[in-house]
Amino acid sequence: MKFADLHLHTQFSDGTFTPEELVLQAQKNGLSCIALTDHDTVEGCARAATACSAVQMEFIPGSELTAEHDDTEVHILGYFLDIENRVLLERIAQFQSVRQSRIHEMVAALNKLGVPLKVESVFALANCKSPGRPHVARALVKEKLIGSLDEAFERYLKKGRPAWVPKTKMSALESVELIHQAGGLAVMAHPGLNRTDEIIPALVDAGLDGIECFHTKHSTVMSERYLEIAEEYDLLVTGGSDCHGYSKNKPLIGTVKLPYEHVEKMAAARQKLLSSNGRK
Ligand code: AMP
Ligand code: ZN
Ligand code: FE
Ligand code: FE
């Protein structure tokens, strides 16, 4: 049996692995195919592709776009993206810039609370275009301003806490279109985690291609429910561990094993999309 893990992060967003380390871990876990889905960036994809091809592993370039629909945050995964697509790169650069400004705002809020974190420490640690709250949390731990990552979120960074700063997000409908024009398939990430069931029909109408049925934080009952929803709306079935490296416990890569037949169905759907893009 061949398996894939289609939801993975590296240092190019808030994961701790380099693309090369990620591929090594994928190999150790016996995976045949991986997708890189860093938040709002495709920066790590070229290196991951090179590392995969050196070990004959299949690689799918992707990204996890932070989006919203009716005030609900939803993460849309893009798969088989053309990572040189100009429209995609320009649009995600705007959201990377929002993420960078948000770091300044979060640090300012912390400083106001008397926490002497320097914005430079966060950027030095993040060292990527798409920084986020986990980098602020790690910098707080590194500077010994808090005991743990969880504490940092609980005290300061969680929604509603004093250093939480909302971020401007792309509309989910736009994210689907953006992914399609870059030759990719759009998939709703971890619906069980964001509780985004109500918005599935609207996204399907907008051309959503698939739904992430298997995810670390989905129970068996949840996965079964989303498999039924996939069947009902004729959506592709995807899955992945959402591994962020060593940021929390032991790496999650390989703990969610998507049977390879789903990757084959995705590849077929992608071919269909490319020929319809070509006709436009
Ligand atoms: P951001 O995109 O900057 O809002 O950060 C979101 C990321 O923060 C998610 O991908 C999670 O990995 C992480 N995160 C969110 N909430 C928590 C929490 N309560 N504890 C630890 N990590 C969290
Ligand atoms: Zn993340
Ligand atoms: Fe997510
Ligand atoms: Fe993720």
Side-chain angles (χ1 to χ4, degrees), residues 54-98:
V55 295
Q56 277 94 49
M57 188 180 298
E58 191 173 336
F59 178 70
I60 301 174
S63 184
E64 180 174 17
L65 302 181
T66 316
E68 67 185 344
H69 187 78
D70 289 344
D71 291 325
T72 305
E73 177 160 334
V74 55
H75 294 178
I76 305 292
L77 296 156
Y79 290 115
F80 298 105
L81 294 170
D82 168 6
I83 60 168
E84 288 174 6
N85 181 270
R86 208 170 44 84
V87 176
L88 174 70
L89 293 177
E90 281 173 7
R91 193 70 178 119
I92 61 180
Q94 294 169 346
F95 289 94
Q96 290 163 4
S97 149
V98 167

Side-chain angles (χ1 to χ4, degrees), residues 9 13-15 39 64 134 242 244:
H9 297 271
S13 66
D14 54 359
H39 300 282
E64 180 174 17
D242 211 350
H244 283 74

Side-chain angles (χ1 to χ4, degrees), residues 2-277:
K2 285 165 74 178
F3 295 101
D5 186 335
L6 302 184
H7 193 149
L8 298 164
H9 297 271
T10 66
Q11 287 175 0
F12 285 97
S13 66
D14 54 359
T16 66
F17 291 140
T18 62
E20 293 76 19
E21 286 164 349
L22 183 75
V23 173
L24 192 70
Q25 292 284 336
Q27 231 191 333
K28 277 192 190 161
N29 282 280
L31 295 168
S32 303
C33 171
I34 60 166
L36 180 59
T37 55
D38 273 318
H39 300 282
D40 302 317
T41 187
V42 291
E43 265 184 291
C45 287
R47 271 171 59 183
T50 305
C52 276
S53 88
V55 295
Q56 277 94 49
M57 188 180 298
E58 191 173 336
F59 178 70
I60 301 174
S63 184
E64 180 174 17
L65 302 181
T66 316
E68 67 185 344
H69 187 78
D70 289 344
D71 291 325
T72 305
E73 177 160 334
V74 55
H75 294 178
I76 305 292
L77 296 156
Y79 290 115
F80 298 105
L81 294 170
D82 168 6
I83 60 168
E84 288 174 6
N85 181 270
R86 208 170 44 84
V87 176
L88 174 70
L89 293 177
E90 281 173 7
R91 193 70 178 119
I92 61 180
Q94 294 169 346
F95 289 94
Q96 290 163 4
S97 149
V98 167
R99 282 179 167 278
Q100 291 161 22
S101 316
R102 184 167 166 254
I103 298 290
H104 285 277
E105 291 174 58
M106 287 192 281
V107 172
L110 285 165
N111 292 165
K112 240 179 145 176
L113 293 165
V115 183
L117 183 69
K118 289 199 180 71
V119 80
E120 295 78 20
S121 322
V122 183
F123 284 117
L125 183 144
N127 193 26
C128 68
K129 292 181 183 164
S130 206
R133 283 180 291 165
H135 298 113
V136 177
R138 283 180 213 158
L140 284 168
V141 172
K142 193 169 173 222
E143 304 290 330
K144 303 209 170 20
L145 295 167
I146 198 118
S148 70
L149 296 175
D150 281 343
E151 219 184 314
F153 273 92
E154 279 308 314
R155 250 172 95 180
Y156 302 122
L157 300 170
K158 235 168 84 161
K159 185 171 181 177
R161 292 290 190 265
W164 173 71
V165 174
K167 91 188 147 209
T168 321
K169 301 174 203 86
M170 189 183 304
S171 97
L173 305 187
E174 184 198 340
S175 72
V176 171
E177 172 57 28
L178 188 65
I179 289 166
H180 283 167
Q181 68 79 40
L185 298 173
V187 172
M188 183 188 266
H190 44 64
L193 189 62
N194 290 42
R195 311 198 174 274
T196 42
D197 291 13
E198 322 76 67
I199 70 176
I200 294 173
L203 291 193
V204 170
D205 284 345
L208 187 76
D209 302 287
I211 188 158
E212 190 174 50
C213 297
F214 304 104
H215 182 273
T216 308
K217 295 207 171 143
H218 281 183
S219 63
T220 310
V221 173
M222 270 183 195
S223 294
E224 277 164 9
R225 169 174 163 71
Y226 292 113
L227 286 168
E228 278 169 23
I229 289 179
E231 175 107 27
E232 183 185 341
Y233 290 101
D234 195 20
L235 293 169
L236 294 161
V237 169
T238 77
S241 64
D242 211 350
C243 176
H244 283 74
Y246 286 110
S247 54
K248 286 180 191 164
N249 306 315
K250 98 184 213 330
L252 291 169
I253 184 168
T255 55
V256 172
K257 287 189 146 97
L258 182 75
Y260 190 74
E261 62 186 67
H262 294 295
V263 177
E264 289 172 330
K265 287 184 186 157
M266 288 168 77
R270 199 257 180 155
Q271 279 314 317
K272 238 170 108 179
L273 170 82
L274 288 185
S275 40
S276 92
N277 277 0

